[in-house]
């Protein structure tokens, strides 16, 4: 198992992984309208854009992408594990990797926006809820769970 930078030619595979996870795992977190927006924002074209404007990484095991995560400034985004591999340590490996990457960039903390179903996962690894509220994606209202973790790199 290794984690490396995402490649542009992997956009379709990353999109498929993220969209399938949203449909199977996060279905209980969102309304059908919200889920449709999230699926749309994870199209392969949107993934190509994300690869260009942030640091995106893939977890590769046995030659296949098993999970992805990205970092834009100090904000962790898009931590997704293939739907059939949830609970097998891939998410933890991606989270530890991206936190270490953020430390190398000298960030003092990381923030992320969690779904309801992922909140306990992040709390298990030291994240605390710092804000609850609402936001909009493409004109659709979403609840927000903003979480933060202080990083120790000194």
């Amino acid at each position: 198992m290794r984690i490396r930078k995402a490649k542009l030619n992997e956009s379709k595979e990353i999109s498929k992984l993220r969209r399938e996870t949203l449909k199977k795992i996060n279905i209980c977190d969102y309304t059908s309208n919200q889920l449709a927006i999230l699926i749309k924002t994870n199209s392969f074209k949107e993934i190509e854009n994300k690869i260009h404007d942030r640091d995106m990484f893939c977890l590769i095991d046995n030659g296949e992408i098993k999970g992805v995560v990205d970092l834009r400034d100090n904000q962790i985004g898009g931590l997704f594990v293939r739907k059939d591999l949830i609970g097998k340590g891939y998410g933890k490996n991606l989270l530890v990797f991206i936190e270490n990457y953020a430390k190398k960039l000298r960030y003092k903390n990381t923030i992320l926006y969690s779904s309801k179903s992922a909140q306990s996962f992040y709390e298990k690894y030291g994240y605390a809820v710092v804000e609850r509220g609402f936001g909009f994606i493409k004109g659709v209202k979403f609840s927000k769970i903003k979480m933060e973790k202080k990083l120790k790199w000194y």
Side-chain angles (χ1 to χ4, degrees):
M1 174 174 37
R2 66 189 176 97
I3 299 173
R4 59 146 173 81
K5 280 247 185 180
K7 299 174 184 172
L8 206 52
N9 67 354
E10 296 170 324
S11 297
K12 286 184 180 177
E13 188 177 353
I14 294 167
S15 171
K16 181 181 178 192
L17 182 151
R18 290 171 72 144
R19 292 163 74 142
E20 286 182 359
T21 301
L22 282 165
K23 289 177 193 175
K24 300 291 185 196
I25 304 299
N26 298 107
I27 194 163
C28 61
D29 294 323
Y30 304 109
T31 67
S32 58
N33 282 348
Q34 291 170 328
L35 200 54
I37 293 295
L38 292 174
I39 288 168
K40 192 175 193 177
T41 61
N42 282 285
S43 70
F44 83 92
K45 283 290 185 194
E46 291 288 333
I47 298 299
E48 284 180 345
N49 293 338
K50 290 175 185 183
I51 289 172
H52 284 298
D53 76 1
R54 63 197 71 193
D55 294 319
M56 185 180 287
F57 297 90
C58 296
L59 186 150
I60 309 294
D61 196 15
N62 294 323
E64 295 180 3
I65 297 174
K66 306 289 183 161
V68 295
V69 67
D70 62 67
L71 186 74
R72 187 177 195 180
D73 298 320
N74 71 327
Q75 183 175 330
I76 296 171
L79 195 159
F80 285 86
V81 173
R82 212 172 73 189
K83 65 185 184 314
D84 58 321
L85 299 173
I86 305 276
K88 304 220 186 282
Y90 292 103
K92 175 186 176 184
N93 285 325
L94 283 164
L95 187 60
V96 168
F97 173 87
I98 206 70
E99 288 174 355
N100 287 332
Y101 185 75
K103 287 177 191 178
K104 286 179 188 171
L105 297 174
R106 309 301 273 178
Y107 288 116
K108 294 181 179 176
N109 68 339
T110 51
I111 61 166
L112 56 85
Y113 291 90
S114 177
S115 64
K116 291 177 205 159
S117 61
Q119 182 180 339
S120 63
F121 168 79
Y122 293 118
E123 287 172 339
K124 184 172 155 181
Y125 295 105
Y127 284 81
V129 175
V130 293
E131 181 184 333
R132 289 183 189 274
F134 294 94
F136 290 86
I137 300 174
K138 306 249 186 227
V140 176
K141 188 175 183 180
F142 283 80
S143 64
K144 289 192 324 186
I145 304 170
K146 183 178 181 181
M147 303 183 80
E148 178 182 31
K149 181 178 180 178
K150 304 286 186 216
L151 300 176
K152 295 179 182 163
W153 45 264
Y154 41 89

